């Protein structure tokens, strides 16, 4: 997925544990882990807002877009040979 979640970065900057963040945001540690590990398909704006409030950051500090490989580069990478 081209959206990367950087909760780990903010946790490290705030010297906060996953358990503490989950408790303060009001979600389960398991659900936070799904989001943190990039396995979530969606995030509620209310959850994003709570994360930003607790971590004292902006949504862009937690989420970033990375373009997916396309065309020949992706085809070569899929084959593992690096050639189109």
């Amino acid at each position: 997925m081209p959206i990367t979640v950087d909760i780990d970065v903010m946790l490290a900057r705030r010297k906060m544990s996953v358990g503490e963040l989950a408790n303060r945001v009001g979600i389960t540690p398991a659900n936070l882990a799904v989001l943190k590990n990039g396995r979530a398909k969606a995030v509620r704006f209310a959850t994003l807002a709570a994360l930003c409030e607790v971590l004292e950051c902006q949504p862009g500090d937690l989420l970033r877009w990375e373009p997916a490989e396309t065309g020949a580069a992706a085809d070569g990478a899929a084959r593992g040979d690096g050639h189109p």
Side-chain angles (χ1 to χ4, degrees):
M1 172 167 279
I3 300 295
T4 301
V5 181
D6 289 327
I7 290 176
D8 281 339
V9 173
M10 295 307 296
L11 283 171
R13 288 181 183 168
R14 303 297 186 255
K15 295 179 173 61
M16 187 181 298
S17 70
V18 171
E20 180 183 352
L21 179 61
N23 186 48
R24 291 179 62 184
V25 169
I27 62 176
T28 67
N31 283 340
L32 182 58
V34 167
L35 180 60
K36 184 174 80 73
N37 295 324
R39 295 188 318 257
K41 299 295 181 197
V43 61
R44 293 176 190 260
F45 280 170
T47 302
L48 183 58
L51 287 165
C52 290
E53 182 178 354
V54 170
L55 293 170
E56 299 178 351
C57 66
Q58 295 294 313
D61 296 327
L62 299 176
L63 304 172
R64 69 188 147 86
W65 177 78
E66 292 183 352
E69 290 187 26
T70 58
D75 293 340
R79 286 196 312 267
D81 61 5
H83 298 288

